[in-house]
Amino acid sequence: MKPPFAPEVFDALLALNNLNAAALVFTTAERFAQVLAAASHVRAAPEGRALLVALDETCSYDSPNFLWFQRRYPLFYYIDRVVVGAAARGQGLAGKLYAELEARTLTEGRQRLVCEINRVPPNPGSDAFHEWLGFAPVGEAPLSGGKVVRYWVKELNQPQSAG
C-alpha cells in the first residue's frame, strides 16, 4: 500500500504522530499507512509540520472510538488524529485544518464533526482548543492501558433551503 505523501513527508508525519503518542497512539509505518488509506480526509502542512486525519461515517475502520460514534450518529466526520509539531504551534495550522474539514463537512451535507480527547491521561490543551471551536462533550469510555477518552461533538448549522 502506497502512502499518500512523498516518503520524506510520510516519515516526518509518522515521527510527529509517534512523538505525540501520549495524546494519539504510537503506530508502525504499516498501520499508519493503513489509517491514511482508510481515511476520507487527510491533510498535512508542508514538510509534515501538522496533520489532520478524518473519516466519514461510511468508512470501514476498527477504532473503538470511531465505532462508538458510528453507532450513535449519522452524517459525520470523525477526526481520528490532529497533531501539530512543537516548532509549528501557535501559527494557526490546526485551526486552518479544522476550518477546511468543517467546510467540506457542510458541503457534503454532513451534520457534525466528532472526535475523542484523552481524559486520562488529561489533555487540557486539546480540551480548550475543541471548546473554543464549539465542540461539546457527549460521553466517555475507558480504553486499554488505563486510558479514558471523552467523546466530543460539534453540531454544524445546515444552510436553510429557500422554500
Side-chain angles (χ1 to χ4, degrees):
M1 163 181 332
K2 185 178 180 201
F5 301 103
E8 62 276 5
V9 174
F10 177 84
D11 291 343
L13 292 171
L14 177 61
L16 179 62
N17 181 94
N18 288 340
L19 281 172
N20 293 277
L24 301 171
V25 66
F26 188 87
T27 190
T28 64
E30 181 180 5
R31 176 65 178 162
F32 192 59
Q34 289 171 346
V35 169
L36 297 179
S40 41
H41 183 90
V42 178
R43 298 293 183 276
E47 293 93 40
R49 297 178 301 141
L51 173 70
L52 185 143
V53 177
L55 300 95
D56 70 42
E57 75 285 344
T58 68
C59 290
S60 177
Y61 187 42
D62 62 359
S63 159
N65 299 314
F66 174 77
L67 297 172
W68 189 93
F69 287 112
Q70 199 177 44
R71 286 190 300 269
R72 288 166 176 81
Y73 296 100
L75 302 173
F76 64 82
Y77 264 104
Y78 166 73
I79 300 155
D80 181 65
R81 65 196 69 212
V82 61
V83 60
V84 177
R89 292 189 183 133
Q91 299 174 17
L93 293 175
K96 289 176 187 173
L97 293 170
Y98 269 74
E100 181 184 354
L101 177 60
E102 186 169 327
R104 179 177 179 178
T105 302
L106 287 168
T107 298
E108 293 177 359
R110 289 191 163 75
Q111 300 167 340
R112 63 196 49 87
L113 296 175
V114 303
C115 67
E116 85 279 345
I117 302 170
N118 289 346
R119 190 174 69 71
V120 178
N123 191 342
S126 189
D127 287 343
F129 176 72
H130 285 85
E131 286 174 358
W132 179 75
L133 288 175
F135 283 75
V138 293
E140 65 179 54
L143 300 178
S144 63
K147 194 180 260 192
V148 177
V149 295
R150 183 175 294 137
Y151 296 115
W152 296 71
V153 172
K154 179 178 183 179
E155 297 291 344
L156 303 176
N157 295 324
Q158 295 295 316
Q160 298 297 316
S161 60

